């Protein structure tokens, strides 16, 4: 979402810094073959569109941000989500949308585009293709000129939970890759380069990947700045955090914290091949390359096998003829990366006898012939071929040597400490070597014998794109007269003039060969391998045996490493080499098979990149990417489906090694950043950091060993000194262009400040004892929870609780945050609120989140409200304030600046159930006449919720009162009920159990139901006890309980307040007295009528003193009763039974039984 003015002017399309160097590659709707991995081709045009570059031909790269994350659907089925951001206002129909300026805004659907067709490779060998990749816009920024889209790919079913590996290896994750070209053209590092984002999938270790919430474009000052986590000034250089969190429910709160960050390569450069003097990798030129049909296929598709028919110009026979050279395959370009470990170096590439091959004695020497050889040592690149010398009857090596020191620009690069350990040689340095060979002929005609009599070649060599030997081999035309050109133009061999009119600068003199000369019959092949023809059939048949069946293309035979070797039919210009030697190719994305010079006739024939996933590895204890492991075979990147014929075989000890990671080789990031704990990325250079846009690639995982996913974004370094207080209001760290010597892209009379951003909300810190406090690295994060707002008290500062801290929200309850942006630009002595406006850039927002309209004021505020419904997940939201300054003198809008972004981690918890404090079952004891109350306290830890306490089961006793109360609590909802009751004179023995229920609202999510807690309270009134009421006399109290004052007085003879019967019972206001005797039923149930008869009581009097017996006819065994014996009406005698004496006799045995008699 972009909360900015609708009247924003759209700036011009940016131009890439390399746009003038080479033509852009053209991409049409072409066939797609999987390369040993699932490939989802994301074409950016419909089948009717001729090129994916429509509207982008003159623009630089537009890719700014990428992120992949995934989650398991069921079984081994995985759903991937791609998020990608591109330049917004590009002159192409793909990004047109419904915004006022005609471009895309949130909710629009756009087609993801770029200068190459983006691809998604699931990595498991399954093929799938899409003609269009439509994305839904989830965020955009007018002022920073980016649009962010999201695409959810349909579930993909992997055959196994992970890539179970090869024999001898432990399981590896599936590697899903999102690739394309090109990165934003105005980057300091990796401008206009491809991107490759690689996500790991292992369903045995995780059911979902983490997600990253960083903005596509963030800003930091060139020096120190205020850390939003601690609000303190950082003194050791600008840094930024990469916020990440688990995206699916986790059992433990701290397990939702991402604990692993890694700096990632901008694209996957894979591995390199490590060689020794006695080791090599060989591609045998068997029949598929060297038969007559195979070679004829190069120009006649009818002769091709089905697999080559569609691409006969890049068939195996055509590749063989190119390396061998003939009159129709004259231009060859070979390029690749190499590192020689020893000063003497060695042969890094050649053709010749393959390992284990035996030569026919009649052709001995022919199969040993090297038709191409590249030798690299610390100071020279030597190239050439072998040629048969009739005079000596032997094969001779004809070479030309190019000195590294012949190019001063290359020497300066070799001595640049940013790239290499400074020296004038290339030993132990990764360098890129390009060799161009042009074959020339002299035609012999006459006497019915027509043939090419003389063959000779020239060579060019580039190192890191720098041409060698330009002084020794100057460029010359046929008519050149300067001394430096003597012997070059119009050179002849054997008395015949060559077919060269000009020599390019750096191009060597003519070197005889690689074919022989001599007047032999058409197609004749003698024992030394002379090859002649006067028609294509003879040309194809020539030297089939000698140069085919026994010959191989050989990598290696030196101590050192190599990587990414490419073979081209045609000459790659120096401009093409410079534009592409640091960039991996995606050959199948273009009808020109990776060639950036569309229409030049230069075709990619083969590409071997020495990556471990293109190989069959030998068993070893491999580490990440199998570095250090030997391999037995190597397949090319192109051709993509080589079957067996393009597979090279390793001889000796050839192992995978790490490829170069300097700023020179492939990408530029290794020296720019360093990773610190907690996801902090810091610039490594000394301050101030050069102003500009920097690309950053990071991978994150929940923990070490868990699947990692990538994120790729841009960091803008502003000309901004965090130490200085340059602002007229004394604002720290937001003044622009206050660092001398740094470029200033702003008109400081119009835009002097970057805005500041503050976050506030109704929050409260969680207590230290809460389990939410989790360690991340060496520091402990904190948690605050959203609370019910007090509008009078106002919002609370939330800056101390931005990421990596947490803000706890509850599912079903609305939370809100307010973002305040302010710019310190002055106008007439006060803060400018007329020509200076502040808006906001927002990253992916929570689903169904609501944002208030921003009116482009200064200061400006934006309110975000959200009611989450998913639980046990953490949602990330990143925001930055972006200014807008109007230059009324020129009627333009000045370049915008942004604040440091601030991210909040919204940790969504399940709404907690309310709970009663204390025991869930309790008993309250009462005494007749005494007022007694009890209170039930209920707590709800979600202060945004509400609770109610009611009687769920049972009834309150007669006369009881229920009182509700609300108690203040910042973090919670605290309510109580109080039950007040004074049992009457006839309530002795009353017992009842009442169930109370507390229930919350359940929140606002669909289907949500309230949660509850229960407590049971048993009310019990004591028998025979009564609290004397105020002003009661003894005789009055006796009458209440149906007795005379003498009996009542005698029942309380031990009570001090009743020492005299005439005393008023007022000595103690809470005086409790006995109003009867306690009687327990001993054996068996006893009828109530018998009890009343025995004690001389009425049944009503018994019921009044024993509430629990009102509905009974007998008292059970063990029952305790309250009785008031009446000596006048009770029994004169009673019966003792079961009373045992020491002589084991019972009373009934010792004395006669007396019949009860009524007292007289």
């Amino acid at each position: 979402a972009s909360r900015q003015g609708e009247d924003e002017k759209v700036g011009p399309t940016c131009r890439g810094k390399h746009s003038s160097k080479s033509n852009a590659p053209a991409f049409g709707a072409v066939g797609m073959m999987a390369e040993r991995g699932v490939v989802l081709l994301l074409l950016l045009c419909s089948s009717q569109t001729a090129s994916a570059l429509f509207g982008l031909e003159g623009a630089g790269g537009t890719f700014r941000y990428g992120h992949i994350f995934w989650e398991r659907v069921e079984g081994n089925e995985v759903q991937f989500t791609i998020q990608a951001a591109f330049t917004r206002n590009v002159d192409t129909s793909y990004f047109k949308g419904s915004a006022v300026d005609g471009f895309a805004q949130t909710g629009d659907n756009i087609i993801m585009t770029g200068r190459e067709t983006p691809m998604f490779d699931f990595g498991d060998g399954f093929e799938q293709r899409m003609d269009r990749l439509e994305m839904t816009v989830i965020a955009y920024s007018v002022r920073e000129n980016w649009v962010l889209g999201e695409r959810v790919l349909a579930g993909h079913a992997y055959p196994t939970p992970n890539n179970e590996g090869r024999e001898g290896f432990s399981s590896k994750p599936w590697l899903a890759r999102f690739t394309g070209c090109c990165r934003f053209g105005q980057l300091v590092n990796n401008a206009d380069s491809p991107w490759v984002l690689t996500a790991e999938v292992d369903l045995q270790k995780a059911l979902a990947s983490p997600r990253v919430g960083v903005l596509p474009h963030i800003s930091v000052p060139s020096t120190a700045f205020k850390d939003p986590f601690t609000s303190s000034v950082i003194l050791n250089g600008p840094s930024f955090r990469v916020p990440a969190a688990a995206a699916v429910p986790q059992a433990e709160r701290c397990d939702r914290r991402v604990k692993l960050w890694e700096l990632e390569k901008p694209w996957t450069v894979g591995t390199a091949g490590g060689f020794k003097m006695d080791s090599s990798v060989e591609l045998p030129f068997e029949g598929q390359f060297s038969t007559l049909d195979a070679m004829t296929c190069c120009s006649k598709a009818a002769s091709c096998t089905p697999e080559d028919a569609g691409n006969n110009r890049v068939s195996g026979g055509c590749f063989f003829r190119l390396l061998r050279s003939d009159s129709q395959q004259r231009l060859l370009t070979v390029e690749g990366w190499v590192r020689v470990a020893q000063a003497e170096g060695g042969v890094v590439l050649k053709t010749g006898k393959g390992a284990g091959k035996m030569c026919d004695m009649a052709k001995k020497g022919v199969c040993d012939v090297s038709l191409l050889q590249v030798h690299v040592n610390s100071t020279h690149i030597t190239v050439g071929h072998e040629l048969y010398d009739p005079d000596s009857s032997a094969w001779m090596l004809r070479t030309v040597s190019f000195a590294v020191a012949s190019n001063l620009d290359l020497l300066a690069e070799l001595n640049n400490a940013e790239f290499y350990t400074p020296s004038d040689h290339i030993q132990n340095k990764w360098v890129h070597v390009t060799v161009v060979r042009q074959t020339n002929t002299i035609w012999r005609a006459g006497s019915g014998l027509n043939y090419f009599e003389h063959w000779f070649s020239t060579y060019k060599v580039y190192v890191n794109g720098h041409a060698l030997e330009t002084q020794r081999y100057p460029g010359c035309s046929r008519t050149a007269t300067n001394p430096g050109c003597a012997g070059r133009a119009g050179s002849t061999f054997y008395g015949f003039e060559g077919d060269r009119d000009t020599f390019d600068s750096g191009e060597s003199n003519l070197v005889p060969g690689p074919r022989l000369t001599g007047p032999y019959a058409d197609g004749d092949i003698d024992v030394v391998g002379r090859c002649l023809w006067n028609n294509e059939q003879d040309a194809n048949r020539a030297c089939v045996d000698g140069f085919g069946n026994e010959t191989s293309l050989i990598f290696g035979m030196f101590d050192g490493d190599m990587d990414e070797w490419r073979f081209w039919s045609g000459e790659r210009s120096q401009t093409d080499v410079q534009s592409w030697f640091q960039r991996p190719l995606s050959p199948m994305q273009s009808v020109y098979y990776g060639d950036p010079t569309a229409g030049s006739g230069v075709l990619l024939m083969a590409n071997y990149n020495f990556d471990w996933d293109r190989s069959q590895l030998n068993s070893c204890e491999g580490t990440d990417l199998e570095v250090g492991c030997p391999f037995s075979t190597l397949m090319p990147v192109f051709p993509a489906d080589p079957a067996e014929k393009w597979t090279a075989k390793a001889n000796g000890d050839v192992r995978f090694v790490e490829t170069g990671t300097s700023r020179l080789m492939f990408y530029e990031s290794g020296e720019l950043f360093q990773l610190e704990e907690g996801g902090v990325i810091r610039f490594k250079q000394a301050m101030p950091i050069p102003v500009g846009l920097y690309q950053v690639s990071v991978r994150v995982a929940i923990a070490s060993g868990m699947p990692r996913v990538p994120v790729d974004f841009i960091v803008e370094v502003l000309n901004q000194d965090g130490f200085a207080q340059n602002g007229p209001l004394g604002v720290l760290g937001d003044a622009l262009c206050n660092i001398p010597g740094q470029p200033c892209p702003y008109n400081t009379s119009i835009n002097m400040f970057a805005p500041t951003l503050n976050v506030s909300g109704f929050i409260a810190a969680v207590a230290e004892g809460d389990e939410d406090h989790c360690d991340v690295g060496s520091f402990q994060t904190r948690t605050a929870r959203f609370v019910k707002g007090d509008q009078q008290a106002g919002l609370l500062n939330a800056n101390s609780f931005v990421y990596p801290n947490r803000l706890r929200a509850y599912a079903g309850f609305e939370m809100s945050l307010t973002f305040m942006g302010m710019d310190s630009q002055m106008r007439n002595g006060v803060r400018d609120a007329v020509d200076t406006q502040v808006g906001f850039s927002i990253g992916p927002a929570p689903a169904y989140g609501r944002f208030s309209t921003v009116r482009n004021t200064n200061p400006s505020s934006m309110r975000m409200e959200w009611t989450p419904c998913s639980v046990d997940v953490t949602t990330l939201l990143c925001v930055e304030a972006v200014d807008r300054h109007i230059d009324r003198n020129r009627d333009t809008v000045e370049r915008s600046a942004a604040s440091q972004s601030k991210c909040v981690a919204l940790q969504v918890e399940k709404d907690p159930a309310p709970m009663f404090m204390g025991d869930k079952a309790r008993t309250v004891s009462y005494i007749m006449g005494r007022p007694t109350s009890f209170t039930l306290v209920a707590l709800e830890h979600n202060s945004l919720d509400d609770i109610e306490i009611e009687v769920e089961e049972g009834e309150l006793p007669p006369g009881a009162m229920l009182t509700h109360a609300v108690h203040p609590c910042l973090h919670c909802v605290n309510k109580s009920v109080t039950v007040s009751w004074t049992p009457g004179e006839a309530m002795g023995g009353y017992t009842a159990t009442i169930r109370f229920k507390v229930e919350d609202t359940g929140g606002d999510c669909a289907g949500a139901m309230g949660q509850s807690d229960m407590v049971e309270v048993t009310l019990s009134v004591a028998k025979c006890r009564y609290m004397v009421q105020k002003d009661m006399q003894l005789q009055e109290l006796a009458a209440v309980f149906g007795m005379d004052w003498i009996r009542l007085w005698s029942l309380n003879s031990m009570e001090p307040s009743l020492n005299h019967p005439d005393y008023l019972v007022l000595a103690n206001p809470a005086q409790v007295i006995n109003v009867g005797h306690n009687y327990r039923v001993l054996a068996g149930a006893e009828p109530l009528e018998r009890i009343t008869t025995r004690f001389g009581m009425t049944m009503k009097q018994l019921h009044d003193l024993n509430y629990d017996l009102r509905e009974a006819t007998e008292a059970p065994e063990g029952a305790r009763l309250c009785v008031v014996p009446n000596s006048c009406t009770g029994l004169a005698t009673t019966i003792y039974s079961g009373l045992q004496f020491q002589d084991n006799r019972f009373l009934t045995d010792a004395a006669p039984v007396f019949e009860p008699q009524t007292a007289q």
Side-chain angles (χ1 to χ4, degrees):
S2 178
R3 302 294 158 179
Q4 302 169 1
E6 298 294 346
D7 58 345
E8 187 71 37
K9 294 184 179 180
V10 180
T13 301
C14 66
R15 303 290 173 175
K17 68 179 183 180
H18 295 308
S19 60
S20 62
K21 287 188 176 181
S22 63
N23 296 325
F27 302 102
V30 298
M32 180 65 210
M33 294 182 289
E35 298 183 6
R36 190 182 176 183
V38 169
V39 176
L40 173 64
L41 179 59
L42 308 179
L43 291 179
L44 304 182
C45 54
S46 65
S47 58
Q48 292 80 20
T49 304
S51 171
L53 292 176
F54 179 74
L56 297 174
E57 295 87 344
T62 60
F63 177 80
R64 296 175 179 236
Y65 171 89
H67 179 38
I68 308 172
F69 53 90
W70 57 268
E71 62 180 302
R72 175 180 173 270
V73 179
E74 60 179 359
N76 296 329
E77 184 178 351
V78 174
Q79 178 178 280
F80 287 92
T81 299
I82 303 172
Q83 292 180 345
F86 296 85
T87 300
R88 180 174 179 267
N89 60 340
V90 178
D91 187 16
T92 172
S93 61
Y94 297 126
F95 288 175
K96 297 297 183 183
S98 61
V100 174
D101 60 8
F103 292 100
Q105 63 180 347
T106 304
D108 289 346
N109 289 326
I110 62 175
I111 300 176
M112 186 176 64
T113 187
R115 298 189 63 184
E116 281 186 8
T117 304
M119 299 173 61
F120 192 85
D121 181 351
F122 292 103
D124 64 349
F126 178 79
E127 291 185 352
Q128 185 175 349
R129 171 175 171 157
M130 295 177 62
D131 290 332
R132 299 166 65 93
L133 178 64
E134 291 190 0
M135 305 187 78
T136 301
V137 176
I138 58 174
Y140 72 104
S141 175
V142 173
R143 298 178 190 174
E144 292 178 325
N145 194 20
W146 53 261
V147 58
L148 175 62
E150 181 177 88
R151 175 64 183 269
V152 178
L153 302 180
H156 174 75
Y158 283 99
T160 53
N162 53 35
N163 187 356
E164 294 178 334
R166 296 151 298 279
E167 183 179 355
F169 289 86
S170 60
S171 63
K172 297 289 182 181
W174 296 113
L175 300 180
R177 293 186 174 98
F178 175 47
T179 64
C181 191
C182 300
R183 297 185 184 278
F184 188 43
Q186 297 179 8
L187 291 169
V188 173
N189 60 328
N190 307 315
D192 290 316
S193 63
W195 74 84
V196 175
L197 305 181
T198 303
E200 298 176 341
V201 180
D202 190 332
L203 298 177
Q204 289 185 343
K205 294 182 177 180
L207 300 181
S209 70
R211 297 183 184 179
V212 177
V214 67
L215 285 166
H217 184 126
I218 65 175
S219 299
V220 297
S222 185
T223 60
F225 73 105
K226 288 183 291 186
D227 186 350
F229 176 40
T230 62
S231 298
S232 61
V233 175
I234 302 300
L235 301 179
N236 55 346
S239 64
F240 48 89
R241 291 186 183 274
V242 180
V248 296
Q250 302 289 328
E252 300 295 333
R253 286 175 176 165
C254 289
D255 288 343
R256 304 170 201 163
R257 311 296 174 95
V258 169
K259 301 180 181 66
L260 178 69
W261 288 261
E262 296 177 344
L263 283 172
E264 173 68 320
K265 300 168 183 177
W267 55 78
T268 302
V269 297
T271 50
F275 293 81
K276 299 295 182 184
M277 277 293 186
D278 58 352
S279 61
S280 63
V281 173
E282 301 179 5
L283 173 64
F285 287 137
E286 307 291 356
Q288 300 96 323
F289 293 90
S290 57
T291 63
L292 177 61
D293 285 343
M295 289 190 293
T296 304
C297 169
C298 185
S299 55
K300 293 183 179 180
S303 301
C304 298
T305 61
E307 61 195 73
D308 288 336
N311 302 313
N312 61 294
R313 295 182 64 195
V314 291
S315 65
C318 205
F319 182 52
F320 172 66
R321 288 177 60 176
L322 176 67
L323 291 174
R324 186 196 64 181
S325 83
D326 61 39
S327 61
Q328 298 175 14
Q329 302 290 319
R330 296 184 176 219
L331 284 166
L332 165 68
T333 302
V334 177
E335 59 176 327
W337 287 89
V338 63
R339 185 191 67 84
V340 292
Q342 306 297 329
E344 62 271 19
V347 176
V348 300
L349 180 73
K350 71 173 184 176
T351 63
K353 178 183 176 181
K357 295 292 185 181
M358 299 298 294
C359 292
D360 186 286
M361 291 302 294
K363 300 173 183 177
K364 184 173 177 60
V366 176
C367 65
D368 293 318
V369 171
S370 178
L371 299 178
L372 175 68
Q373 188 171 117
V374 181
H375 183 283
V376 179
N377 63 25
S378 63
T379 58
H380 288 77
I381 312 297
T382 301
V383 295
H385 51 262
E386 289 182 318
L387 184 70
Y388 184 76
D389 182 12
D391 295 334
S392 61
S393 299
W395 290 90
M396 308 294 291
L397 183 61
R398 303 297 180 94
T399 63
V400 58
S401 187
F402 293 79
V404 170
S406 65
N407 190 293
L408 298 181
D409 291 336
L410 175 60
L411 286 181
E413 192 169 272
L414 293 174
N415 284 276
N416 188 338
E418 290 189 48
F419 307 137
Y420 297 114
T421 301
S423 68
D424 288 345
H425 60 75
I426 60 174
Q427 180 182 354
N428 278 322
K429 297 176 181 178
W430 277 103
V431 293
H432 183 270
V433 175
T434 303
V435 177
V436 178
R437 183 179 73 184
Q438 179 172 344
T439 300
N440 305 271
T441 63
I442 295 177
W443 177 254
R444 169 73 72 179
S447 304
L449 188 61
N450 303 321
Y451 57 91
F452 294 102
E453 182 176 21
H454 300 295
W455 297 81
F456 44 90
S457 301
T458 62
Y459 288 92
K460 299 177 187 177
V461 171
Y462 305 98
V463 174
N464 292 353
H466 301 288
L468 302 188
E469 300 285 5
T470 57
Q471 298 297 320
R472 182 178 176 186
Y473 304 121
C476 294
S477 67
R478 177 183 293 276
T479 58
T481 58
N482 56 304
C485 291
R488 283 175 64 76
S491 297
T492 60
F493 283 98
Y494 302 97
F496 292 92
E497 189 172 301
D499 60 355
R500 297 303 306 275
D501 292 330
T502 62
F503 287 82
D504 294 335
S505 177
E507 185 178 16
S508 73
N509 285 326
L510 296 169
V511 181
R515 292 197 172 276
L516 299 176
T517 61
Y520 296 96
D522 294 350
D524 184 26
I525 306 174
D526 69 5
V527 295
V528 294
R530 298 182 175 110
C531 307
L532 312 164
W533 61 87
N534 63 359
N535 57 60
E536 183 178 12
Q537 181 175 356
D538 290 339
N540 293 332
R541 187 168 58 245
C543 301
V544 169
D545 293 334
F547 292 103
N549 294 339
E550 306 293 345
T551 305
S552 296
L553 174 64
I554 303 172
F555 301 93
M557 310 297 287
F558 74 106
D559 285 336
D561 310 321
M562 62 168 46
D563 197 7
E564 192 70 29
W565 279 80
R566 305 163 184 173
F567 300 83
W568 303 83
S569 174
E571 178 178 357
R572 297 275 283 166
S573 69
Q574 184 176 8
T575 299
D576 294 334
V577 172
Q578 291 173 341
S579 299
W580 286 82
F581 80 98
Q582 292 174 290
R583 300 164 60 176
L585 295 179
S586 298
M588 291 303 296
Q589 296 180 27
S590 166
V591 293
Y592 292 98
Y593 302 102
D595 172 40
T597 55
S600 68
V602 181
L603 296 178
L604 179 68
M605 304 295 291
N607 181 195
Y608 288 86
N609 65 5
F610 292 90
D611 284 355
W612 66 270
D613 59 354
R614 309 300 303 163
S615 67
Q616 179 178 341
L617 295 104
N618 296 331
S619 178
C620 80
E621 293 298 325
T623 58
D624 191 30
L625 294 182
E626 275 71 19
V627 170
C629 290
F631 61 92
S632 57
T633 63
L634 182 68
M635 293 187 297
V637 178
F638 179 80
D641 188 12
E644 293 296 327
K645 72 178 183 180
W646 289 88
T647 300
K649 298 176 175 58
N651 297 302
D653 186 14
V654 185
R655 294 177 178 266
F656 287 116
V657 296
E658 285 279 9
T659 193
T661 56
S662 69
R663 288 182 58 193
L664 183 68
M665 185 177 181
F666 284 133
Y667 61 88
E668 309 172 39
S669 70
E671 300 300 320
L672 291 177
F673 311 105
Q674 65 185 28
L675 179 66
E676 299 178 2
E677 63 181 5
V680 174
I681 312 294
R682 189 177 304 281
F683 280 86
K684 293 173 66 174
Q685 299 104 312
M687 294 188 293
I689 307 301
V691 170
L693 302 174
Y694 295 82
Q695 174 265 322
V696 181
S697 297
V698 179
R699 285 199 296 183
V700 300
I702 295 297
S704 177
M706 300 288 281
R708 299 167 293 184
V709 292
V711 64
D712 198 289
F713 57 97
I714 291 176
V715 176
E716 180 174 8
V717 175
L718 303 177
N719 185 330
Q720 191 179 53
D721 186 358
F723 294 114
Q725 292 184 347
N726 291 12
L729 300 181
V731 178
L732 177 62
D734 65 347
L736 295 170
C737 298
N738 52 8
I739 303 177
Q742 285 271 53
C744 179
Y746 301 95
N747 180 353
T748 54
S749 65
I750 304 300
N751 188 0
M752 184 182 295
F753 294 91
T756 58
L757 176 67
N758 286 288
V759 188
S760 57
F762 294 110
I763 62 171
V766 170
E768 288 295 328
D770 196 301
E771 70 273 350
D772 280 49
H773 295 279
C774 303
D775 291 332
V776 178
S778 62
F779 62 89
Q780 190 179 69
T781 61
R782 303 170 61 202
T783 301
R785 58 164 61 100
F786 287 97
V787 297
K788 189 164 294 186
D790 182 349
Q791 299 298 332
Q792 293 182 347
L795 299 174
L796 299 176
N797 190 320
N799 289 329
S800 296
F801 290 96
V802 299
Y803 186 89
N805 296 312
R806 293 293 195 268
L807 292 175
R808 186 192 298 172
Y810 293 103
F813 296 89
E814 182 180 275
M815 46 73 56
S816 66
L817 288 170
T818 298
F819 300 89
M820 178 71 71
M822 185 192 71
D823 195 286
S824 297
Q825 190 75 24
M826 303 299 290
R827 177 186 175 91
N828 298 328
V830 297
R831 182 179 292 113
D832 181 16
V834 178
D835 294 337
T836 298
Q837 303 166 351
V838 178
F840 302 89
S841 289
I842 310 169
Y848 308 109
R850 303 181 302 279
F851 293 84
S852 63
T853 301
V854 178
R855 300 301 181 187
N856 278 328
T857 58
N858 183 28
S860 180
S861 67
M862 175 182 67
R863 181 179 173 88
M864 189 275 284
E865 297 174 341
W866 180 44
T867 302
C869 289
S870 297
V871 300
D872 295 332
V873 299
T874 299
T875 298
L876 299 167
L877 174 66
C878 295
V879 178
E880 65 182 7
V882 187
D883 62 16
R884 181 176 187 267
H885 298 269
I886 301 173
D887 185 349
R888 296 194 179 274
N889 294 328
R890 296 182 297 172
D891 193 25
T892 59
V893 176
E894 176 60 21
R895 176 172 173 169
S896 296
S899 70
Q900 298 167 52
S901 67
K902 292 186 177 179
C903 302
V904 290
L906 303 173
Q907 181 174 296
V908 182
E909 306 286 350
K910 180 181 179 181
D911 176 35
M915 57 182 297
F916 281 109
M917 306 302 292
D919 296 334
K920 301 303 179 184
R922 59 193 77 176
T923 299
V924 181
S925 298
Y926 289 84
I927 293 177
M928 292 179 289
R930 183 169 70 182
T932 302
S933 63
F934 64 90
T935 299
L936 300 177
V937 178
L939 201 64
E940 163 70 66
H941 285 288
N942 176 11
S943 71
L944 303 176
D945 204 347
D946 197 8
I947 57 175
E948 295 296 334
I949 306 174
E950 299 293 344
V951 174
E952 173 71 8
E953 185 177 321
E955 295 182 354
L956 293 177
M961 296 183 59
L962 187 67
T963 305
H964 293 267
V966 179
H967 309 282
C969 180
L970 182 60
H971 295 267
C972 63
V973 178
N974 188 348
K975 289 187 175 182
S976 66
V977 292
T978 299
V979 177
S980 302
W981 182 41
T982 302
E985 297 85 351
M987 298 301 291
Y990 173 87
T991 300
T993 298
I994 305 173
R995 180 178 296 170
F996 292 86
K997 175 183 178 181
V998 57
E999 185 173 18
D1000 62 15
T1001 66
D1004 297 329
C1005 294
M1009 300 180 64
Q1011 302 175 93
S1012 61
D1013 190 24
M1014 301 285 186
V1015 64
E1016 289 187 346
V1017 181
T1018 299
L1019 285 61
S1020 177
V1021 183
K1023 296 181 178 181
C1024 296
R1025 301 286 286 170
Y1026 181 80
M1027 191 183 86
V1028 179
Q1029 304 301 301
K1030 183 179 179 180
D1031 295 335
M1032 266 192 168
Q1033 295 181 350
L1034 191 61
Q1035 57 270 28
E1036 179 183 2
L1037 185 58
V1040 170
F1041 290 97
M1043 68 181 81
D1044 56 70
W1045 68 269
I1046 294 176
R1047 280 186 290 168
L1048 182 59
W1049 185 51
S1050 64
L1051 287 172
N1052 296 278
S1053 60
M1054 302 301 295
E1055 293 291 337
S1057 60
L1058 293 179
N1059 285 338
H1060 194 282
D1062 292 337
Y1063 287 169
L1064 288 175
V1065 187
L1066 195 58
N1068 183 356
Q1071 178 68 50
V1072 176
I1073 64 174
N1074 297 316
V1075 293
H1077 283 284
N1078 285 310
Y1079 170 74
R1080 182 166 66 89
V1081 177
L1082 291 179
E1086 189 172 358
L1088 297 186
E1089 184 177 2
R1090 181 175 175 178
I1091 295 173
T1092 57
T1093 301
R1094 177 182 298 169
F1095 293 107
M1097 301 173 61
T1098 65
M1099 188 64 71
K1100 179 179 182 306
Q1101 187 180 19
L1102 182 65
H1103 285 165
D1104 287 346
L1105 292 174
N1106 299 275
Y1107 188 93
D1108 54 330
L1109 298 179
R1110 290 188 176 186
E1111 304 297 329
T1113 59
E1114 60 182 13
E1117 180 180 344
R1120 293 182 179 276
L1121 281 66
C1122 181
V1123 297
V1124 181
N1126 189 329
S1127 59
C1128 295
T1129 59
L1131 295 179
T1133 61
T1134 185
I1135 298 173
Y1136 293 89
S1137 65
L1139 185 61
Q1140 188 175 15
F1141 293 96
Q1142 290 183 354
D1143 59 1
N1144 292 326
R1145 290 188 302 161
F1146 289 91
L1147 180 61
T1148 53
D1149 298 331
V1153 176
F1154 294 94
E1155 292 294 332
Q1157 296 181 9
T1158 302
Q1160 299 297 319

